[in-house]
Amino acid sequence: AQKITQTQPGMFVQEKEAVTLDCTYDTSDPSYGLFWYKQPSSGEMIFLIYQGSYDQQNATEGRYSLNFQKARKSANLVISASQLGDSAMYFCAMTKLIWGAGTKLIIKP
Amino acid sequence: EAGVVQSPRYKIIEKKQPVAFWCNPISGHNTLYWYRQNLGQGPELLIRYENEEAVDDSQLPKDRFSAERLKGVDSTLKIQPAELGDSAVYLCASSKRGGADTQYFGPGTRLTVL
């Protein structure tokens, strides 16, 4: 069965520090993709980054990068130089429309 | 380019009443999704449309939930009758195609059933 696990229910990080949000997944599909979304307190889900299972390089989008380790079935999101506006819920999801429970990230000034 | 539009943003009803949510996807997006998100949890897919065809509705509680996507554009999700456990945020998303295409979300409808 397809499954996404986010083991960190909540995290506190000092502003300007880098932060890593964990995501592990389980799938038997040979081809798949992994997404990360941000959901601020306003409620809207915002797309951050995508990684395809056959992509040769780890995805990057500005301050966001994805540490993809296929053998370990992990797709961790790395946010460099965190900002106060990064405080939000972060969700990892697969192309089979399976979502994790999320991690609540709080950036401290 | 306009984003995904949903209405209403908030709805409060008493149990056993009917309720309907409306979604207008991004122009040109063929795939439309309805999700339910309970407090503190990730979204749960209710139904996915490819154009006007429902291609994945395995998680839709069909005894009380129904959905339609007329002409492959706007969509309506209905609950009749609503139960206390239906209180949640109902999210609509769209993508150009399914699969690996990025989903773009609307602001959601927060439903409270009293």
Side-chain angles (χ1 to χ4, degrees):
Chain A
Q2 319 266 352
K3 187 178 180 180
I4 294 279
T5 302
Q6 294 182 252
T7 57
Q8 306 151 309
M11 287 185 70
F12 286 89
V13 173
Q14 200 68 37
E15 188 181 9
K16 300 182 183 178
E17 289 184 351
V19 57
T20 298
L21 304 180
D22 295 341
C23 172
T24 58
Y25 59 92
D26 189 14
T27 181
S28 56
D29 291 347
S31 178
Y32 52 90
L34 293 145
F35 297 87
W36 276 92
Y37 283 84
K38 171 184 178 181
Q39 189 176 40
S41 57
S42 60
E44 191 158 348
M45 201 72 78
I46 302 167
F47 166 73
L48 295 178
I49 197 166
Y50 169 80
Q51 178 83 43
S53 59
Y54 287 110
D55 292 344
Q56 295 297 314
Q57 294 185 329
N58 286 344
T60 61
E61 289 284 349
R63 294 187 299 113
Y64 304 107
S65 61
L66 207 152
N67 183 2
F68 183 50
Q69 299 187 48
K70 193 172 181 178
R72 294 186 175 185
K73 293 188 174 181
S74 74
N76 298 339
L77 176 70
V78 179
I79 306 174
S80 63
S82 58
Q83 302 170 357
L84 296 179
D86 294 333
S87 294
M89 285 290 293
Y90 288 81
F91 292 97
C92 179
M94 283 182 64
T95 43
K96 288 290 187 180
L97 307 179
I98 306 296
W99 291 68
T103 296
K104 185 170 185 176
L105 176 64
I106 297 175
I107 308 298
K108 300 182 292 183
Chain B
E1 180 181 76
V4 176
V5 179
Q6 288 187 250
S7 68
R9 290 294 311 277
Y10 304 91
K11 190 74 176 180
I12 301 174
I13 61 171
E14 294 189 346
K15 62 181 181 182
K16 301 184 181 180
Q17 293 300 306
V19 64
F21 314 123
W22 176 79
C23 174
N24 180 244
I26 292 173
S27 178
H29 281 197
N30 296 324
T31 306
L32 185 145
Y33 313 78
W34 281 104
Y35 288 93
R36 176 170 58 190
Q37 186 177 24
N38 292 312
L39 189 64
Q41 298 182 20
E44 173 193 5
L45 180 71
L46 293 174
I47 191 168
R48 175 170 65 98
Y49 282 94
E50 295 289 347
N51 298 304
E52 64 273 12
E53 182 182 359
V55 297
D56 186 352
D57 63 354
S58 57
Q59 300 299 314
L60 189 72
K62 297 180 183 65
D63 57 336
R64 297 183 301 107
F65 285 65
S66 64
E68 61 182 7
R69 190 182 183 196
L70 299 175
K71 300 181 181 179
V73 182
D74 295 3
S75 178
T76 302
L77 177 69
K78 297 179 182 178
I79 308 174
Q80 182 171 10
E83 298 179 352
L84 295 176
D86 296 330
S87 294
V89 175
Y90 291 82
L91 295 166
C92 179
S94 69
S95 63
K96 289 184 180 178
R97 299 175 301 272
D101 272 13
T102 300
Q103 296 177 52
Y104 294 90
F105 284 79
T109 297
R110 183 177 296 277
L111 174 67
T112 301
V113 182
L114 303 176

